[in-house]
Amino acid sequence: MNTKIPGLGIAHLALKAKDFDKSYKFYTEGLGMTPYLSWGEGDSHIQMLKCGDGAGILELFAGGSDELPEMGKYIHFAYSVEDVDAAYETALAAGAKPLTPPKSVALESEPRKVTIRIAFVIGPDGEQIEFFKEVG
């Protein structure tokens, strides 16, 4: 519970795509996300996609480039999934590039030790995508 800003949570992740149509197809047809809200045209087009189970939304922006934005960047974004191995294979079949095949990692974490199952792929705009599940 956040006592400073009640109700604070992640509303969505935003990705500026250099090839909007390719990214849209990857996330909808390849990974099964569904269109939610859309507005703007051309390089100002924005499409929100519901990820599926849970409240996650990906906000896909047109007009991206290979140049890094001055405002910062993210390292990766992680999707919680039921089956990391199946999600990894689904992403590869949709055109993602492999980065880290599925593996289990025992964390020496506090306040409790956990084991996670993770895998990473590279999406159509070079973005790192992690599939994540706590397994023990």
Side-chain angles (χ1 to χ4, degrees):
M1 172 117 191
N2 187 324
T3 59
K4 298 282 185 184
I5 305 175
L8 181 69
I10 296 174
H12 62 266
L13 300 167
L15 173 66
K16 190 140 183 146
K18 63 184 174 190
D19 185 336
F20 183 89
D21 293 334
K22 182 177 181 181
S23 290
Y24 180 85
K25 183 176 181 179
F26 174 78
Y27 285 105
T28 57
E29 294 178 23
L31 300 188
M33 294 183 189
T34 57
Y36 177 55
L37 297 172
S38 179
W39 61 94
E41 297 176 357
D43 282 351
S44 297
H45 185 207
I46 299 169
Q47 173 71 59
M48 290 185 128
L49 303 168
K50 285 193 173 185
C51 297
D53 298 340
I57 292 177
L58 174 67
E59 187 176 26
L60 190 60
F61 284 74
S65 71
D66 288 325
E67 296 177 25
L68 294 176
E70 293 298 321
M71 64 191 86
K73 61 181 179 174
Y74 63 82
I75 297 171
H76 70 267
F77 50 89
Y79 292 107
S80 176
V81 297
E82 286 297 315
D83 186 333
V84 169
D85 298 64
Y88 178 80
E89 292 302 325
T90 298
L92 295 180
K97 294 181 180 139
L99 183 60
T100 304
K103 65 180 181 178
S104 295
V105 180
L107 301 176
E108 294 295 321
S109 51
E110 297 292 336
R112 62 188 177 84
K113 293 176 180 24
V114 298
T115 299
I116 57 173
R117 184 111 179 120
I118 57 172
F120 290 84
V121 298
I122 303 294
D125 273 282
E127 70 275 22
Q128 288 188 33
I129 302 166
E130 176 184 3
F131 299 112
F132 174 95
K133 180 173 179 135
E134 188 175 320
V135 294

